[in-house]
Amino acid sequence: MVAGEGAPTAVLFDIDGTLVDSNYLHVHAWSLALADLGHPVDDWRIHAGIGMDSSKLLDALLGNEKDRLGEKASDGHSERYSSLADELRPFQDARALLQAVAARGVRVVLATSAPEDELKKLRAALDSEDALYAVTSADDVETAKPEPDVVTVALQKAGVEPGSAIMVGDTVWDIEAASKAGVRCIAVKSGGIGAAELRDAGAIEVYDDVAALLAALDSSAIATL
């Protein structure tokens, strides 16, 4: 179906690690925050949980120390991440991809549960407001990925049915959330997760990054919307 002929269509984009090179800044911020509390965690373990609901991430990183240290760790991460915000940058062709999708008449939605302060910095780095149809944030959901809440709200804001949308993300949590909401998911490797793991999680297509997706846009699943 060509976009604009019949029911509306949408592409739901994760931001962190998909459109903006921020995953490793989050890893560094968590690593510093946890070390500050005398509870160091290896960076690879932190990376494995990036993109997951923060409460679940703290369960994984702190275990039975979560009740005692969780709030301080979360606050410490926010402070450390804020100090690193000047390092945020969009991935190559991220803006061009959003523009190209919007030019097809497809509704572009940023589907994230980032808190408003972080989201403001991400949107400033992305600098693509004119291509956006809608944006979600932490204020819209109680539970983040891998639960489907973010995707469900993004669909509602876009005014589209699950079968008329595609998610683009970089983690297995994006794919799981999309699947639970009945949405197909294209994955990119720019968040640091390998192609095999992304495919095993259910990604319908895997690209190196959004630049590679843009180059293959006409033959991608997005072209079938």
Side-chain angles (χ1 to χ4, degrees):
M1 186 182 95
V2 177
E5 295 181 4
T9 57
V11 178
L12 317 177
F13 286 94
D14 171 64
I15 308 178
D16 283 302
T18 300
L19 296 172
V20 176
D21 193 1
S22 56
N23 280 13
Y24 292 97
L25 294 181
H26 277 295
V27 170
H28 190 48
W30 278 115
S31 183
L32 292 173
L34 292 166
D36 288 343
L37 295 174
H39 189 96
V41 176
D42 292 340
D43 284 1
W44 74 267
R45 294 186 184 278
I46 300 172
H47 180 263
I50 294 298
M52 183 193 298
D53 179 78
S54 60
S55 179
K56 292 182 173 64
L57 175 62
L58 289 170
D59 281 334
L61 300 182
L62 294 175
N64 58 16
E65 291 286 280
K66 178 185 174 184
D67 288 344
R68 185 173 71 88
L69 297 177
E71 185 174 351
K72 292 179 180 179
S74 184
D75 290 345
H77 163 265
S78 295
E79 292 174 9
R80 292 289 195 169
Y81 181 77
S82 180
S83 72
L84 297 169
D86 288 344
E87 303 298 320
L88 289 171
R89 64 176 182 82
F91 285 113
Q92 178 183 346
D93 288 340
R95 296 173 183 138
L97 176 61
L98 298 184
Q99 295 286 352
V101 172
R104 290 172 176 262
V106 177
R107 297 174 179 180
V108 174
V109 181
L110 299 184
T112 177
S113 59
E116 285 292 343
D117 58 335
E118 290 183 13
L119 181 58
K120 183 178 180 180
K121 296 179 177 68
L122 290 165
R123 291 175 72 166
L126 190 56
D127 190 22
S128 298
E129 296 297 303
D130 57 337
L132 305 181
Y133 184 87
V135 181
T136 70
S137 74
D139 291 343
D140 295 310
V141 297
E142 292 186 7
T143 306
K145 303 162 188 171
E147 297 308 313
D149 304 34
V150 171
V151 182
T152 299
V153 171
L155 290 170
Q156 293 170 350
K157 289 195 172 190
V160 304
E161 297 297 321
S164 297
I166 288 176
M167 178 88 184
V168 179
D170 66 294
T171 68
V172 296
W173 320 120
D174 293 318
I175 301 165
E176 289 183 21
S179 178
K180 290 175 182 176
V183 175
R184 297 169 291 163
C185 188
I186 292 173
V188 289
K189 297 191 294 180
S190 49
I193 307 300
E197 188 172 354
L198 294 168
R199 289 195 182 95
D200 287 346
I204 58 171
E205 297 172 355
V206 179
Y207 298 89
D208 281 350
D209 52 20
V210 288
L213 174 54
L214 176 63
L217 192 60
D218 288 339
S219 59
S220 73
I222 292 173
T224 67
L225 289 173

